[in-house]
Amino acid sequence: MPVQARWRLLHFQSPAMNPSSLHKPTAPAAEAPHTPQRQGLAALTLAAIGVVYGDIGTSPLYTIKEIFAPHTGVPLDAAHLVGALSSVLWALMLVVTLKYVVLILRADNHGEGGGLALTALAAQAVRDRPALRHVLLLLGVFGATLFYGDSIITPAISVLGAMEGLELVTPTLKPYVVPASLLILLALFAVQRRGTAFVGRFFGPVIVLWFLTLAAAGVVHIARQPAILAALNPLQAWHFGVERGWGLFAAVGAIVLALTGAEALYADMGHFGRKPIQWAWTGLVLPSLALNYLGQGALLMADPSAIENPFYRLFPEAWVLPALVLATLAAIIASQAVISGAYSMTRQAIQLGFLPRMTVRFTSAREMGQIYMPAVNWALLAGVVLAVLVFGSSSALAGAYGIAVTLTMMITTVLTFFVVRHGWRLPAPVALAATLFFLAVDVVLVAGCAVKFWDGGWFPLGLGLLLFGVMSTWARGRARLLQSIRRDGLALQDFVDGLDPRGLHRAERTAVYPVADPSTVPQALLHNLKHNQVLHERNVILTVVFHERPWVAMGQRLQIEPLGHGFWRATLNFGFMNTPDVPRALALAEAQGLPIPVFETSYFLSRETVVPAAGAGRQRWRDQLFAAMSRNASGVVEFFRLPGNAVVELGTRVQI
């Protein structure tokens, strides 16, 4: 199958993404729903703290405890405390600060970041090498599927880690940790349909208070045990690693917990811009995390018995309950960030052709990025509840946490190389040296998490592989469907040229025929002629194209080509972050000489029923899975915002 055909989107049962458009120079995209340039840097920085850093900000709840858990084999003494803390601090410096904040935040796709945006950017950078482009697309999609594992584990481990403070309030509350965590998570997912606009106003101030509390609690104990400041020396981290030998990987599997959430810096760049994220990290988040980790180390130097829960033991007994409340709020915010990210990721995957259409509800009249997807919401809830019940504690979940995150980090490093080398045209030695350095760090992190595979690491990895199979099956099936339509269809221009306008009754209205392939006659049009013996005065053969960039400006939205005899071929262009509002986009046609009156237009949809061909061999199960997904895809009307009272749907059977 041709590489270009594999990545076509067939949305109406399915408009195609035209890969050839990626070879043409494009004007800078506009029309992003957010306009961060108009807001103050301080306001954006505050908002970024609330949304971007919730996940990494809750890592102190469980990281240090896991580093000194029995399975890591790290002794709990002063020398190893300094070495372990130094490893945490310099992991934050190398991976988060140097790799993400300094380098990868510069790899924006028209202002957008994240796995799929980076994948599209890398694919464009090597667009003249189809085989490599195809591999990078597959790699990027796999990286995106790993995000869903993070979206399940983050709410579970964050809320469990916060609620485990109940045990310190009174040991009699220990049996209620899991039930209380489940109640909070159920409430969190239940309110998703109301949107995050109202709650989002409080994210920033609450997380700022959280980070200030982290810093203050750490400073108190550092002042009592200043010897812990030796961890600031990177040589301590080096000696710690060398001394551990092969046992280092067990410790790395726990140290990496301090880095979870680093991908959020890049994924949320489109919402806030690069500078607010950088200022928030260097001005508040990094210093607060460093002080709290050092404070936990100082506490353990003075009282090794605090290892049962070093975070909550930072606080005096009277302050444990307020700290528990604040930690719970921070955990909810961290969970909200990945839940919203899962909605956004799924929407992008749908518009890039890797998932069937799903219901998307917009929860804010002002912010287009605020969406709610019921199917994703309840699937995530089921996964989170299952994770809480199966693992039962933050320590048990820590075994599952990390492998998906570190693999995503490694994929990000690989994709960034192609952007830096082929997109930015940096010298090969510079691009290769930077990539190999970060890749070496990523390999160590992945290897450290791999040793936890049977302790729970299989969970996010298995989920990612399952979703990758689903996504690749959908993309393959849509490409095969498009080939079938082209093979069996009539050439549109020949059909139009052969029409006898005098021999047909013409209805004085406009008919819009959304199609996957604009070169063939829509099945709905043929059915209309066969059964109703009527042709409309104006017939628009419409194709929707989703491009591998986040935004397409309104000036580039519509192209129209007259075909004669009352026929036009129209192409609507959207980015994978645009909302595909077809009627609104078609209103632009009047300026090009083709009025499409809202109340005098009907949409005729060709609804294909996919039938797997007999004798498909080993791939038959994929055809059957694709057929099932196609039957259960949500309606075209809602997805493309078509007026429900102006839609006529005509079915046809297509064999693949």
Side-chain angles (χ1 to χ4, degrees):
M1 184 182 300
V3 172
Q4 289 186 344
R6 289 181 184 271
W7 304 104
R8 288 184 171 270
L9 304 184
L10 296 82
H11 274 299
F12 270 109
Q13 279 310 128
S14 58
M17 175 174 66
N18 185 359
S20 65
S21 66
L22 302 178
H23 294 257
K24 302 174 184 178
T26 55
E31 210 210 315
H34 307 280
T35 54
Q37 297 83 356
R38 299 181 184 178
Q39 302 180 46
L41 180 61
L44 280 170
T45 302
L46 177 64
I49 291 170
V51 174
V52 176
Y53 293 109
D55 189 0
I56 200 169
T58 54
S59 296
L61 286 168
Y62 41 78
T63 298
I64 300 301
K65 179 174 67 173
E66 292 308 313
I67 291 175
F68 293 96
H71 65 84
T72 65
V74 181
L76 184 55
D77 55 41
H80 288 90
L81 275 167
V82 170
L85 264 295
S86 183
S87 300
V88 169
L89 297 180
W90 286 98
L92 289 171
M93 289 298 297
L94 290 177
V95 176
V96 183
T97 306
L98 188 58
K99 177 179 174 180
Y100 282 92
V101 174
V102 175
L103 175 62
I104 292 181
L105 283 182
R106 299 179 182 275
D108 67 287
N109 191 338
H110 296 282
E112 288 295 323
L116 289 177
L118 181 63
T119 300
L121 203 61
Q124 291 177 28
V126 296
R127 59 182 176 268
D128 296 328
R129 301 166 67 182
L132 178 59
R133 177 179 177 275
H134 177 61
V135 170
L136 293 181
L137 283 168
L138 289 177
L139 186 64
V141 170
F142 178 61
T145 63
L146 294 173
F147 178 81
Y148 291 98
D150 190 28
S151 300
I152 288 176
I153 297 176
T154 293
I157 195 172
S158 299
V159 174
L160 272 173
M163 297 310 296
E164 283 168 355
L166 289 172
E167 302 175 27
L168 296 182
V169 175
T170 170
T172 59
L173 293 177
K174 183 175 182 179
Y176 299 98
V177 169
V178 169
S181 299
L182 289 175
L183 283 175
I184 290 172
L185 290 166
L186 286 170
L188 175 63
F189 280 93
V191 300
Q192 291 300 310
R193 61 189 179 89
R194 299 183 180 273
T196 60
F198 177 76
V199 180
R201 299 174 190 173
F202 301 97
F203 279 12
V206 170
I207 294 295
V208 167
L209 178 59
W210 169 253
F211 281 118
L212 292 176
T213 302
L214 292 181
V219 166
V220 170
H221 290 275
I222 293 170
R224 296 173 182 172
Q225 293 286 337
I228 196 65
L229 292 176
L232 296 174
N233 184 350
L235 291 177
Q236 296 290 345
W238 174 260
H239 293 319
F240 176 79
V242 171
E243 180 189 336
R244 299 306 302 157
W246 290 106
L248 172 66
F249 293 111
V252 167
I255 291 170
V256 78
L257 297 175
L259 308 177
T260 56
E263 279 284 328
L265 279 72
Y266 182 49
D268 288 313
M269 181 169 57
H271 296 285
F272 306 104
R274 182 196 312 160
K275 285 189 176 181
I277 293 175
Q278 292 174 328
W279 276 90
W281 174 254
T282 55
L284 177 65
V285 179
L286 177 60
S288 299
L289 290 173
L291 288 171
N292 191 263
Y293 285 128
L294 289 170
Q296 290 189 46
L299 169 67
L300 292 173
M301 270 188 175
D303 181 12
S305 67
I307 193 61
E308 61 176 334
N309 200 318
F311 174 79
Y312 282 110
R313 289 288 294 273
L314 288 174
F315 301 93
E317 188 173 340
W319 286 79
V320 170
L321 189 57
L324 171 65
V325 173
L326 184 58
T328 303
L329 290 174
I332 291 172
I333 292 171
S335 303
Q336 179 64 63
V338 295
I339 294 168
S340 300
Y343 298 156
S344 179
M345 180 75 75
T346 304
R347 184 182 174 212
Q348 292 179 33
I350 291 170
Q351 296 186 178
L352 284 172
F354 297 112
L355 284 173
R357 292 183 308 273
M358 301 180 195
T359 301
V360 179
R361 297 177 185 168
F362 293 84
T363 59
S364 172
R366 295 182 300 173
E367 299 290 338
M368 292 173 62
Q370 293 189 10
I371 60 174
Y372 168 65
M373 302 185 70
V376 177
N377 188 68
W378 301 122
L380 284 179
L381 175 59
V384 170
V385 169
L386 182 64
V388 170
L389 292 175
V390 170
F391 292 95
S393 70
S394 62
S395 294
L397 267 170
Y401 212 20
I403 191 166
V405 175
T406 53
L407 279 172
T408 303
M409 289 178 177
M410 181 182 290
I411 291 171
T412 297
T413 299
V414 173
L415 293 175
T416 304
F417 167 77
F418 293 97
V419 175
V420 170
R421 177 69 186 101
H422 301 285
W424 299 352
R425 303 293 182 185
L426 290 186
V430 175
L432 196 59
T435 300
L436 290 177
F437 173 76
F438 289 120
L439 199 58
V441 175
D442 292 333
V443 167
V444 173
L445 296 178
V446 171
C449 292
V451 301
K452 303 187 297 182
F453 182 82
W454 297 113
D455 295 326
W458 56 268
F459 181 73
L461 192 58
L463 179 63
L465 289 171
L466 177 64
L467 290 173
F468 180 77
V470 170
M471 288 184 176
S472 60
T473 295
W474 180 258
R476 170 185 175 275
R478 300 309 291 170
R480 285 167 59 85
L481 179 60
L482 180 59
Q483 285 184 328
S484 178
I485 291 172
R486 285 176 171 170
R487 182 183 64 244
D488 301 331
L490 300 176
L492 177 61
Q493 190 63 63
D494 294 343
F495 173 82
V496 172
D497 292 341
L499 282 175
D500 180 6
R502 296 169 298 178
L504 292 169
H505 175 68
R506 305 294 288 256
E508 296 182 0
R509 287 177 60 88
T510 300
V512 176
Y513 294 94
V515 295
D517 181 9
S519 65
T520 58
V521 182
Q523 289 294 317
L525 189 151
L526 294 176
H527 283 303
N528 205 20
L529 280 174
K530 178 180 178 181
H531 298 291
N532 300 322
Q533 300 291 307
V534 66
L535 192 65
H536 288 69
E537 284 290 339
R538 293 174 298 277
N539 299 275
V540 180
I541 313 302
L542 174 66
T543 305
V544 174
V545 179
F546 286 97
H547 294 269
E548 291 179 351
R549 52 184 170 131
W551 309 105
V552 172
M554 291 300 289
Q556 301 171 315
R557 180 74 79 233
L558 175 66
Q559 287 86 42
I560 293 180
E561 174 190 358
L563 302 177
H565 297 306
F567 278 79
W568 288 263
R569 183 186 285 125
T571 302
L572 291 180
N573 301 287
F574 294 99
F576 60 77
M577 292 293 289
N578 285 124
T579 299
D581 189 329
V582 168
R584 180 186 176 196
L586 285 178
L588 300 171
E590 186 169 3
Q592 300 187 39
L594 176 62
I596 302 180
V598 174
F599 299 107
E600 298 178 17
T601 299
S602 299
Y603 295 84
F604 291 86
L605 307 182
S606 302
R607 176 71 177 184
E608 294 93 351
T609 299
V610 179
V611 181
R618 291 181 298 174
Q619 297 294 317
R620 182 170 174 77
W621 69 269
R622 300 189 74 182
D623 292 337
Q624 291 173 334
L625 175 59
F626 170 72
M629 288 193 291
S630 182
R631 287 193 301 270
N632 290 283
S634 70
V636 169
V637 176
E638 296 82 6
F639 189 84
F640 290 98
R641 298 194 163 190
L642 303 181
N645 59 356
V647 172
V648 179
E649 192 167 354
L650 300 171
T652 184
R653 292 169 65 87
V654 179
Q655 190 175 72
I656 60 172

